[in-house]
Structures are given as C-alpha cells and as structure tokens.
Amino acid sequence: MKLKFIYLLSMVFVLFSCKDETQKHLVETQKDIKKKELIFSNIEKGWVFNANPINSTSQANKSSWKEWGNFLTELEQKPKKTIDAFQKKSTELSKKVMDLNTNIPIDFNKPQIKSRISTLITKVRMLDLYIHLDNIPDNKVVALVGEINVELVSMQNQMDKIVRKSKIPIEEGESELRKMLDTTRAIPTTRQQAEELNKPRVE
C-alpha cells in the first residue's frame, strides 16, 4: 500500500513537471514567433530601393547595358509575405550585382565606375549574408538598404559625369598635350643613357 502511494505521488509529480515544461516551451515558441514577426515587419518596411534611374544617362544605359538594366529591374521587384522571399531576393540581387563586372561598356570601363561597382557588390553581398543568418539583424539589413541606395546615386552621377565630359569639345592642341603628359608613352631610357645625359659637357 505504501509503495503504491509513493508510485502514485511520483506519477503526479512527473505529470506536473511535464505540464510545466510544455507551458515553458509554448511561451518560448510564442516569443520566438513574435520576434520573427517584428523582424519581418522591420525588413518589409525598410526594403525600399531607389531603382529608378535618376538621370538620362542611367535611363539610356538601362537598356543598352543589359547587366545594369537587369540589376535595376531586380531591385524594383519587392518580395512579399515571408522572410524566405526576402532571402531569395537578396541571393538573386547578389548574382545580378556580380554581373555588373562582366560586361562594362567601354565608356564606363574606368577606375571611377569599377570602384563604385566594387562597393555595390560588397554592400549587396553583406545584405545577402545578414538576411540569411539564424538571428537576422534587421537593423543592419535596413541600414544596408540605405547604403546601397547611396551607392546607386553615386554610380549614376559618375556615369552622367563621364558622358557629359565626353561631349565637351577638345580644343586645338589639347590631344597633343594629353599625349605629352601620358607617362606610359614616354621613351624608356636605360640607366647608362640617363647617366650620359646628366654628364657635364665641356664646351
């Protein structure tokens, strides 16, 4: 009889322990769901890219420079409903931004544009990295969206500057002056020739 009572008491204790654990688990699950909903809400609100060309140069190159056009089009399409959709979109953006390096038009194949493309690639890939973390830092994701927008403006302004500069007519003699200033065209001299040139001459 005493043994049965102890057994019954143990069973009641185990049942209450299980119930308590289940209750704790439910509370943790609800907290996790609310946290994920808040992260999604913040990202959804902050995911606003300025994908529209800001000048005529950018607009014209959206169709003539295929990779640039594809990247802007991808930015325009905002994901919906789930965090998975944002993760897939960031992966796609990461691919499209890498393509910018593969086929740069001759007019824009300059260090100023290449450095801006490089910065854009870094920012977009960081966005892709952050949004795929288990604990998504939503504030960093939203901040990166803003930074990418700044880089987009900088890139488009630089493109426009290059085009405007190319339209300025070259003055007479300017091309010859540029050739003279170009150190890559200088006649190479050996050390011996340089010493000969620097020797004092006896008149």
Side-chain angles (χ1 to χ4, degrees):
M1 185 75 179
K2 199 174 187 182
L3 200 64
K4 279 184 180 178
F5 179 74
I6 291 168
Y7 178 74
L8 190 65
L9 200 65
S10 302
M11 288 295 288
V12 170
F13 180 73
V14 167
L15 282 170
F16 274 111
S17 295
C18 287
K19 192 178 178 183
D20 194 42
E21 283 298 313
T22 306
Q23 196 71 29
K24 279 181 185 175
H25 183 68
L26 277 170
V27 168
E28 288 299 316
T29 304
Q30 284 174 341
K31 275 184 185 177
D32 194 45
I33 289 167
K34 281 181 182 176
K35 187 182 175 185
K36 283 179 179 172
E37 283 173 356
L38 183 65
I39 287 168
F40 173 78
S41 175
N42 289 342
I43 290 171
E44 208 260 339
K45 281 178 198 165
W47 194 278
V48 181
F49 288 106
N50 299 330
N52 292 324
I54 62 166
N55 53 45
S56 56
T57 303
S58 181
Q59 182 64 54
N61 280 284
K62 191 176 177 184
S63 50
S64 63
W65 183 7
K66 191 180 87 174
E67 291 77 11
W68 175 248
N70 290 345
F71 179 60
L72 290 180
T73 302
E74 198 64 48
L75 283 172
E76 280 174 337
Q77 299 160 357
K78 187 175 180 176
K80 292 172 184 171
K81 294 180 182 175
T82 64
I83 204 72
D84 283 351
F86 283 94
Q87 288 171 333
K88 283 174 188 170
K89 173 59 73 177
S90 68
T91 301
E92 200 54 42
L93 283 173
S94 201
K95 288 177 192 169
K96 292 281 190 280
V97 79
M98 290 296 287
D99 290 344
L100 290 177
N101 253 340
T102 58
N103 196 18
I104 304 170
I106 295 163
D107 293 346
F108 300 131
N109 200 353
K110 299 183 181 340
Q112 308 94 297
I113 294 295
K114 286 181 174 180
S115 68
R116 281 164 177 81
I117 289 172
S118 182
T119 307
L120 260 176
I121 288 170
T122 303
K123 302 279 182 192
V124 172
R125 293 190 80 184
M126 278 175 68
L127 175 78
D128 189 34
L129 172 76
Y130 284 141
I131 206 161
H132 279 91
L133 293 173
D134 290 334
N135 291 317
I136 301 168
D138 50 320
N139 56 334
K140 286 185 179 178
V141 169
V142 172
L144 275 166
V145 169
E147 288 172 29
I148 290 165
N149 282 332
V150 169
E151 294 305 325
L152 283 168
V153 169
S154 175
M155 170 111 165
Q156 292 176 81
N157 283 337
Q158 188 61 52
M159 286 161 68
D160 195 50
K161 189 177 178 181
I162 289 168
V163 169
R164 278 188 286 112
K165 219 172 181 180
S166 71
K167 288 178 181 173
I168 298 169
I170 296 173
E171 290 183 25
E172 195 178 321
E174 191 178 341
S175 61
E176 285 79 15
L177 181 64
R178 283 185 185 174
K179 283 178 187 174
M180 285 169 57
L181 293 170
D182 186 0
T183 56
T184 59
R185 295 172 44 92
I187 300 166
T189 56
T190 64
R191 189 174 176 184
Q192 190 178 1
Q193 286 172 325
E195 285 171 2
E196 286 293 321
L197 288 169
N198 291 330
K199 270 185 186 176
R201 291 183 183 161
V202 179
E203 295 292 329

